[in-house]
Amino acid sequence: AGTVAELAEEFVQRYVLRERKHPEQVQQMLDRNVLPFWRRRKAQDITPRDVTLLLDRVVDRGSKVMANRVAAV
């Protein structure tokens, strides 16, 4: 398994750029909300609790809607 940064890049290239009208929004979401915290972590090491903590960080800064969008992506 690769790092979260490697998998995010593959996800953007394979799906986001092909399927989204505004792929830059997804890239910004990843760049701001996920990659600063998980960039070098192995994807296989991410637990459901880690995801909850990451989303809680987004909520704690007052962005409940963004937390939902990050979870969807």
Side-chain angles (χ1 to χ4, degrees):
T3 65
V4 171
E6 292 167 345
L7 293 176
E9 179 61 29
E10 182 178 343
F11 171 69
V12 168
Q13 293 299 317
R14 290 183 129 202
Y15 303 105
V16 175
L17 292 175
R18 294 179 186 175
E19 304 293 327
R20 300 281 181 123
K21 287 184 180 180
H22 301 286
E24 67 280 356
Q25 292 175 348
V26 174
Q27 185 65 59
Q28 288 173 348
M29 221 183 302
L30 292 169
D31 289 344
R32 180 162 185 204
N33 300 293
V34 178
L35 294 177
F37 309 104
W38 291 355
R39 180 177 308 280
R40 291 184 176 92
R41 288 187 68 181
K42 294 284 186 183
Q44 68 187 22
D45 295 338
I46 305 291
T47 66
R49 178 71 178 144
D50 293 328
V51 174
T52 300
L53 292 172
L54 180 80
L55 295 174
D56 284 347
R57 245 183 223 198
V58 178
V59 170
D60 290 346
R61 69 168 200 252
S63 301
K64 291 179 184 179
V65 173
M66 183 56 68
N68 285 331
R69 290 178 182 164
V70 170
V73 167

